[in-house]
Amino acid sequence: MTEAIAAIAHDQHEHPPAGIMRWLTTTNHKDLGILYMSFGGIMFFIGGAFIMAVRAELLFPGLQWLSPGMYNQLFTLHALIMVFGAIMPFATGLNNYLIPLMIGAPDMALPRVNNWGFWILPFAAILLLIPFFLQFSGIGSGASGLGWVMHNTSLDLQSGIGIDFAIFTIHLLGISSLTGAINVVVTVLNMRAPGMTLMKMPLFVWAWLITAFMLILVIPVFSAAATMLLTDRHFGTHFFDAANGGDPILLQHLIWFFGHPEVYIVLLPAWGLIPHILATFSRKPVFGYRAQVYALWTICFLSFIVWSHHMLTSGLPLAAEVYFMYSTMAISVPTAVLVFCWLGAIWRGAMTFETPMLFALGFVAHFGMGALTGMILPDVAANAQYHNSYVIVSHFHYTFFGGGIFGMMAALYYWLPKFTGRMFDEKLGRLHFWLTVIFFNMTFIPQWFAGLDGMPRHIADFALRFSAMNLISSVGAFLLGLSQLLLVYTVVKCVRGGTKATGQVWEGAQGLEFTLPSPPPYHTFETPPAVK
Amino acid sequence: MKLTDAAIHDESAIQGWFICLFCCNKRHGTAKKQLPLWFWVIFFLFVSEPACASSIWDFQEPVTPVARDSITASVDFLRIIMGIYVVVFAVFAYSIFKHRKSSGAQPGTFTGPRTKWQWALAISPFLLLIYIDYIWMGIPAFHAIVRMEDTRTASEMVVKVTASQWKWQYEYPEENIKFVSTIATTQDQIHGREAKGEHYLQEVDNPLILPTNMKVRILLTSTDVIHSWWVPSFGVKRDAVPGYLREMWVNIEKPGTYRGQCAQLCGDGHAFMPIVVEAVAEPQFREWVAKKKAEGSAASAAAGKVWSRDELMEKGDEIYNRICVTCHQADGKGVPGAFPALAGSKLVNGPFLDKDGRMIKDGHLDRVMNGKPGTAMQAFKETLSDAEIAAVVTYERNSFGNRMGDMVQPSQVKALR
C-alpha cells in the first residue's frame, strides 16, 4: 500500500499529468501561479472591455447607446473585476510562483488549499456576471450597479437580484483571498531556507506577508457587512434600513473599514517588487531595506485607522472629521519613506532601461502623482470640492493603474523570462510601455480637470462644460485599451518562442529565484539552499 | 459637435490659461515670493487657479466663505504637492540621465545613508512633510472645518432640502413654502433628437431662490436613498441620508445663478438630478416669497375647482414627461425587468376607487400617491399637488393605448389625503 502510494507520488513527482488534467488538478505552486496570473490577465481585459463601453457613452454629452442602468452596471463590474478579478489574483499568482523560490521552499505550505483558493475564482467571476447576461433574456434587472463598495446603502436595499449575486461573489472571493493569505503566512513563517531570517527576506515576500495579514483582518469584516446586507434584503433584519430604525451610514463604515486597507492590499505587492527591479537594473543592492520594511508595517497599521476619509461628506461629527483628516495625512510619511528608498535605489547606480525598469520608473512617477494628490484629499475643506467628483476618479486611477497595474506589468516583464525560459521582444515591450504612459495620462489628466470643474462621478451623461475633457479622456481610454493588446501579443510571442533566457536573466539580478535555470524545473528546492 | 461652446464662455481656454499664467502671482495673495516661470508652466499643466474662473482648467467661481476656504486650501495644497513632485522627480530625472551604464557609471554599493550629512538629508524631507501636513496646511484646515461645521451662529434663515429619486424638494419652514425642483432638460435633448441647450442637464423647473449676504442654514434629508447636495460655487457638499437630518450653511456673496447636481450615485436617474440656485438681493427675495405664498393659495383653490378632461390631460402630459418618464419611458412601456410598463398594465387599467369612494389598496391612485415600498416607485403624495396627481393619473389611464375613459378630480385626491 505504502509502496503503491509512493509509486504514484513518485510518478506525479516527475511527470505532471499531460494536457488539461495538469491544469485542473495541479497543486504545484508554479502551475497555480501561472493559472492565477492568466486568470488575472483575462479578467483585466474583460474589465477593460466594460470600461470601453462606459467611455464610449461618455465621448459626447447625451445618452448615445447605454441606458443609465446599464451604464451603472458596467462601471460597477469594471471596478469589481479590476480590483478583485485582475489585480488581486495577478498579485496572488506572483506570490504563488515566487515566494517559494525566493525563500528556498519546495512549494507553498498548503498546496491543496492553494488549488481550492484558485478554483473558487472562476466560479465567483461567473456568479458576478450571470445577472448581467440574464437581463438580456429578460430575467432580473441586471448585475449590481452600485459602485464597487455598494456605498449607497438604501439603494442596495431597493435594487434587484444583481446585488444578491454580488454578495455571494464577495463571499466566494473572500474565501479565496483568505485561503491565499493563510497560505502565505504559513509558508513564510515556517518554510524559509535555513539561514534566511525574517530580516533577510526579499522585500516582495515582506510586502506579501503584510498584505496577507491585512487580508485576514479585513475580509471577515467585508463578508460580515455583505451578509448583514443580505439579511436586510431578504430576512427582515434592519441593520441599515432607516425606515425601520437602521443606519445607512453603518454599512459605509463597515465597508470602508475593509475598503481602505483593500487599497493597500492592491498596492503592497507592487511596492514590494519595485525595489527588486530598481536594484537589478541599477546594479546595486536594495537601498533602505529596514526602512522599507518598517514603512510597510506602518502603512499597514495606519490603513486600519483612516477609513472614514472616504465618508467626509456624509455628515460625520466635527471631531471625527478632524481626526480622520490628521490620521490620513500621517500616511504621507511612510509613503515618502518608500519613495525616497526608490530614489536611493537608483542613485549612483549603473542603470540600463529594459522594459521592466521602464515600467518600474513609470510606476514611481505615476504612483508619486497618485500619492501626492492623496495627500490633499483628506483636507476636509478641500475634500468638499473633491469628494465624489472626477478628481477622485483621476486620483485613484493614478494609484491603482499608475501604481498597481504598472507594478504588475513591471513584474510580468521582469519575471516573464524566468517563467517561460525565453526573452520577450524588448522592442515591443518598450513600445507597450510608452503607449501605456502616453494614453494613461491622456485618459486621467483630463478627468482631474473635469472634477475640479465640478463633474460628479458615476454619471451616465454630463453637462456641456465637461465635454472637452471627457472627449479627450475617452479617446485616451480607447487607445490605452488598444495598446494593452500589444502586451498580449508580446507575452504570447514570448511563450511560443524567442531567445533562450539564462538562469540569471538580467545582468544585475539578485535573489534565490535567479540561481535556478529558466524556466525552473517542476519541483525546486527540495533540499533547502543554504542562505548566508 | 459643439464641443466647448458652453465650457469656454467668452475667452478660449488657452487664452485664459495664459492670462492666469502671467498674472497669478498678483491676483492670488498666498504666493509669498516670485517663482521662476518654468515652475508655473509645469504647475499650470496640472493645477488650476481660482483667479480665472472662466477657464475649463478651473474651479467654478467661489461665492461663499466656505467655498473660498475650500478652494484656497485646495490651490495652496496643489501648489505644494506640485512643488514636491517637481523637486523629487527632478532628482529622479538627474539620476536617470547621469547614472547610466551607457555613460560608464560605476554602481555604488551603499544601502542607506552613512555620513551625518546624508542622514540629515534623509530625515529633513520628513520633517518638512510633517510641517506641511500638520502646521502649514493642517492648522488652516482645522479652522476651515470649524467654520464649515458652524451652521448655527448668526444663521438668519433655514431651508430644508429633501432629496428623492430624482428630484429635490425645497422647503422654507418659516414661510410655509414648499416646492419640488426637477430637471428641465427634455428627453429629446438627452437622446439627441434636439439640439442641446446651454445649460444642458443643469437646468430645473423651479430653482431654489436664496437671498444674498445672509447666512442660510440648510437642513438635508432624503426620503429614499442617499443623495448628495453639491453646488461647486458654494463649496458645500453634504449627503442627504434617509432617516437623518444633516446640516450645512451658505452665505452667498454675489447674486447670480449657480448650478450643481447630485453627487452620490443614487440609481438610474443620478445624472439627471440637477440643482439650480438663484441668489438674489434680499428685497427681491421677499418679493418672491410673497408671490410664492399667493401661488400657494391659488393652488389650493385649483384643487377645489372642477377640471375638464382636456385640462387634466394637458397637465398630466407635462407632469408625466417631467417625472414619470425617467423610469416608465416616453412610450409608457417601461424597462423590462426594471421598471414596469404602464401601457396595458392591469393596475392602470383597473379600478382605483371602491364603490364607497375609498381608495383601493394597490390600485392605480394608491400606487401613485403612496408608492410601492422597497422599489424605485415612490410616494408622490408629498411632492405633487392634488391637481398634479389627479392630472397624471388621468393622463396615464388614457394614454399609451390605455382607454379607460375615466378621470380623477383634484378634489377627490384632496379628500383621500
Side-chain angles (χ1 to χ4, degrees):
Chain A
M1 183 70 193
T2 327
E3 274 169 28
I5 291 172
I8 292 164
H10 188 259
D11 191 42
Q12 288 267 346
H13 193 85
E14 295 304 330
H15 315 283
I20 187 82
M21 284 315 281
R22 167 176 172 186
W23 298 104
L24 288 177
T25 60
T26 184
T27 56
N28 180 290
H29 75 101
K30 296 185 194 75
D31 285 356
L32 280 166
I34 300 282
L35 282 175
Y36 263 115
M37 284 187 271
S38 315
F39 178 79
I42 292 167
M43 294 312 272
F44 178 64
F45 284 92
I46 295 178
F50 282 139
I51 209 64
M52 292 300 117
V54 165
R55 281 316 320 177
E57 181 55 55
L58 293 176
L59 260 172
F60 304 111
L63 289 178
Q64 280 83 30
W65 58 50
L66 295 180
S67 70
M70 179 61 76
Y71 175 91
N72 291 351
Q73 291 174 39
L74 287 173
F75 74 69
T76 302
L77 289 175
H78 162 74
L80 286 169
I81 288 174
M82 285 301 190
V83 173
F84 297 107
I87 307 186
M88 284 173 69
F90 194 87
T92 310
L94 284 176
N95 91 38
N96 250 293
Y97 202 108
L98 292 170
I99 286 183
L101 299 188
M102 284 179 165
I103 63 174
D107 201 317
M108 296 297 272
L110 311 164
R112 287 176 190 225
V113 171
N114 205 1
N115 171 293
W116 186 44
F118 171 76
W119 283 108
I120 290 173
L121 282 181
F123 295 99
I126 291 168
L127 200 58
L128 182 66
L129 291 173
I130 282 175
F132 181 76
F133 292 107
L134 278 185
Q135 71 186 321
F136 298 113
S137 45
I139 304 169
S141 53
S144 163
L146 306 162
W148 75 286
V149 290
M150 308 183 291
H151 54 291
N152 197 336
T153 323
S154 319
L155 192 59
D156 301 344
L157 297 178
Q158 66 164 232
S159 302
I161 52 161
I163 188 83
D164 300 317
F165 279 85
I167 288 169
F168 286 121
T169 308
I170 287 166
H171 286 144
L172 284 184
L173 290 171
I175 295 170
S176 169
S177 298
L178 279 182
T179 58
I182 291 169
N183 219 341
V184 168
V185 173
V186 177
T187 308
V188 171
L189 294 185
N190 292 304
M191 295 179 64
R192 296 189 310 278
M196 179 169 283
T197 58
L198 283 175
M199 287 313 272
K200 279 186 188 164
M201 281 194 320
L203 278 167
F204 179 71
V205 182
W206 259 120
W208 246 109
L209 180 64
I210 297 167
T211 308
F213 277 120
M214 289 167 82
L215 279 168
I216 292 169
L217 281 167
V218 297
I219 289 287
V221 179
F222 193 33
S223 301
T227 310
M228 288 160 83
L229 191 57
L230 188 74
T231 61
D232 258 21
R233 283 170 57 82
H234 297 294
F235 304 109
T237 57
H238 301 303
F239 296 112
F240 311 125
D241 182 8
N244 290 296
D247 183 355
I249 300 297
L250 174 63
L251 181 72
Q252 293 191 358
H253 280 291
L254 290 172
I255 283 198
W256 283 119
F257 183 79
F258 151 81
H260 196 75
E262 171 67 23
V263 172
Y264 296 99
I265 287 166
V266 167
L267 284 171
L268 244 69
W271 289 344
L273 55 86
I274 289 299
H276 290 249
I277 297 169
L278 292 178
T280 295
F281 295 100
S282 308
R283 293 164 179 78
K284 275 178 56 192
V286 169
F287 181 89
Y289 175 88
R290 260 169 199 280
Q292 291 194 62
V293 172
Y294 297 149
L296 291 175
W297 275 113
T298 313
I299 291 172
C300 165
F301 169 72
L302 288 174
S303 74
F304 285 97
I305 60 165
V306 298
W307 75 92
S308 282
H309 67 216
H310 296 268
M311 307 159 52
L312 286 176
T313 64
S314 71
L316 296 173
L318 174 64
E321 287 184 342
V322 173
Y323 163 74
F324 283 108
M325 173 173 79
Y326 287 141
S327 59
T328 306
M329 284 175 170
I331 297 179
S332 62
V333 175
T335 312
V337 170
L338 294 178
V339 175
F340 284 113
C341 286
W342 300 333
L343 178 58
I346 63 167
W347 189 257
R348 287 191 39 221
M351 273 184 272
T352 50
F353 299 91
E354 287 86 345
T355 311
M357 180 64 163
L358 289 177
F359 268 101
L361 291 170
F363 165 93
V364 174
H366 292 114
F367 172 73
M369 185 57 82
L372 282 167
T373 50
M375 213 170 125
I376 319 179
L377 296 178
D379 186 316
V380 179
N383 185 276
Q385 288 295 337
Y386 298 146
H387 188 86
N388 268 352
S389 77
Y390 259 81
V391 165
I392 300 294
V393 179
S394 177
H395 157 74
F396 72 69
H397 279 98
Y398 268 88
T399 56
F400 273 20
F401 196 115
I405 303 271
F406 268 71
M408 294 305 146
M409 284 180 178
L412 178 61
Y413 282 114
Y414 183 59
W415 280 295
L416 192 60
K418 177 54 66 184
F419 300 155
T420 61
R422 297 196 173 84
M423 300 305 286
F424 56 87
D425 189 331
E426 187 62 38
K427 266 190 197 143
L428 286 178
R430 286 180 199 202
L431 182 65
H432 173 230
F433 169 75
W434 286 111
L435 291 178
T436 305
V437 166
I438 293 166
F439 298 132
F440 168 74
N441 286 295
M442 182 173 166
T443 308
F444 294 108
I445 288 178
Q447 295 187 1
W448 177 270
F449 291 107
L452 283 189
D453 199 27
M455 178 169 170
R457 294 171 70 176
H458 298 144
I459 54 174
D461 192 6
F462 49 84
L464 299 182
R465 65 185 302 142
F466 312 125
S467 306
M469 292 303 172
N470 275 288
L471 180 62
I472 303 171
S473 179
S474 284
V475 173
F478 298 145
L479 296 171
L480 180 62
L482 270 183
S483 50
Q484 299 319 306
L485 297 178
L486 202 54
L487 172 71
V488 182
Y489 179 72
T490 314
V491 171
V492 170
K493 199 177 158 198
C494 172
V495 171
R496 301 182 71 174
T499 28
K500 287 243 175 287
T502 59
Q504 170 83 7
V505 186
W506 312 105
E507 192 190 355
Q510 301 146 344
L512 281 179
E513 76 269 31
F514 291 107
T515 62
L516 296 165
S518 302
Y522 200 56
H523 292 283
T524 42
F525 294 130
E526 284 156 295
T527 324
V531 178
K532 291 194 297 292
Chain B
M1 196 61 234
K2 291 175 298 176
L3 261 185
T4 52
D5 47 357
I8 312 165
H9 302 286
D10 42 1
E11 52 184 328
S12 77
I14 303 301
Q15 241 176 337
W17 192 84
F18 276 108
I19 290 168
C20 58
L21 180 63
F22 290 109
C23 58
C24 55
N25 275 347
K26 281 169 210 137
R27 287 211 205 167
H28 203 269
T30 49
K32 292 221 168 52
K33 57 181 177 194
Q34 289 288 326
L35 285 157
L37 187 65
W38 64 262
F39 174 83
W40 292 114
V41 171
I42 294 166
F43 173 74
F44 278 107
L45 278 174
F46 296 93
V47 184
S48 58
E49 171 69 39
C52 46
S54 58
S55 143
I56 52 169
W57 300 98
D58 223 330
F59 287 108
Q60 295 183 24
E61 184 193 10
V63 295
T64 65
V66 173
R68 267 202 313 280
D69 278 349
S70 171
I71 285 172
T72 309
S74 172
V75 169
D76 289 356
F77 223 144
L78 283 170
R79 286 187 169 171
I80 293 170
I81 63 160
M82 285 319 300
I84 296 175
Y85 193 86
V86 168
V87 170
V88 171
F89 286 89
V91 182
F92 263 97
Y94 174 83
S95 179
I96 286 167
F97 284 107
K98 210 73 186 172
H99 306 143
R100 291 169 169 258
K101 196 187 175 201
S102 54
S103 58
Q106 287 304 309
T109 52
F110 57 91
T111 58
R114 283 161 306 184
T115 62
K116 263 188 197 157
W117 188 82
Q118 284 173 351
W119 271 107
L121 199 66
I123 302 274
S124 54
F126 299 101
L127 297 179
L128 179 65
L129 206 53
I130 289 168
Y131 172 75
I132 293 169
D133 275 346
Y134 294 107
I135 297 174
W136 190 358
M137 295 315 298
I139 291 177
F142 175 78
H143 291 295
I145 304 172
V146 172
R147 262 197 301 278
M148 196 169 98
E149 293 296 336
D150 178 15
T151 54
R152 296 176 202 193
T153 312
S155 85
E156 294 168 78
M157 186 184 139
V158 175
V159 171
K160 187 178 168 206
V161 178
T162 309
S164 331
Q165 285 168 320
W166 292 280
K167 54 186 178 280
W168 303 96
Q169 186 191 58
Y170 299 116
E171 186 181 350
Y172 301 70
E174 290 139 343
E175 312 291 350
N176 207 9
I177 295 175
K178 191 152 100 169
F179 59 89
V180 175
S181 172
T182 48
I183 188 165
T185 306
T186 59
Q187 290 291 313
D188 284 342
Q189 283 192 24
I190 292 169
H191 291 279
R193 293 186 289 262
E194 201 179 275
K196 295 183 181 15
E198 186 190 357
H199 298 298
Y200 176 71
L201 295 190
Q202 295 205 319
E203 52 198 346
V204 297
D205 49 359
N206 301 309
L208 173 64
I209 313 284
L210 290 178
T212 50
N213 297 314
M214 194 191 271
K215 182 162 175 178
V216 182
R217 183 174 163 210
I218 299 179
L219 302 178
L220 264 173
T221 190
S222 163
T223 59
D224 39 42
V225 304
I226 305 174
H227 300 269
S228 190
W229 200 83
W230 182 28
V231 178
S233 286
F234 298 167
V236 289
K237 183 187 286 145
R238 185 119 303 178
D239 294 0
V241 185
Y244 292 82
L245 264 189
R246 300 294 195 221
E247 48 186 328
M248 59 189 178
W249 65 277
V250 296
N251 189 345
I252 308 162
E253 289 156 344
K254 195 174 138 189
T257 305
Y258 303 102
R259 293 166 203 278
Q261 61 190 99
C262 177
Q264 174 75 284
L265 173 61
C266 55
D268 289 357
H270 171 48
F272 311 105
M273 207 174 152
I275 299 159
V276 177
V277 179
E278 267 170 35
V280 295
E282 205 187 338
Q284 281 155 281
F285 176 71
R286 291 288 155 217
E287 256 170 54
W288 175 82
V289 167
K291 198 180 110 214
K292 203 72 192 170
K293 276 184 167 169
E295 268 174 31
S297 3
S300 42
K305 142 190 152 176
V306 176
W307 287 52
S308 76
R309 169 197 284 278
D310 290 342
E311 282 174 324
L312 286 169
M313 287 298 282
E314 191 187 331
K315 178 111 184 144
D317 184 38
E318 178 210 322
I319 305 286
Y320 184 85
N321 284 307
R322 181 151 62 85
I323 294 171
C324 318
V325 73
T326 328
C327 300
H328 295 295
Q329 307 298 316
D331 56 3
K333 296 216 169 92
V335 176
F339 304 117
L342 300 181
S345 143
K346 235 184 236 171
L347 191 138
V348 173
N349 291 294
F352 58 92
L353 294 176
D354 65 12
K355 57 184 190 303
D356 302 324
R358 281 187 304 246
M359 196 143 60
I360 293 175
K361 184 146 175 51
D362 288 325
H364 188 188
L365 189 57
D366 178 42
R367 185 57 44 84
V368 174
M369 286 179 75
N370 299 317
K372 184 175 183 184
T375 68
M377 182 64 198
Q378 50 189 288
F380 285 95
K381 200 162 58 177
E382 295 300 325
T383 49
L384 293 181
S385 73
D386 300 333
E388 286 170 329
I389 291 177
V392 80
V393 171
T394 306
Y395 175 77
E396 288 171 357
R397 299 175 76 77
N398 297 289
S399 311
F400 327 119
N402 299 336
R403 288 181 216 290
M404 290 305 289
D406 53 2
M407 54 178 161
V408 189
Q409 282 298 332
S411 54
Q412 290 174 292
V413 177
K414 194 175 180 183
L416 292 169
R417 276 189 193 266

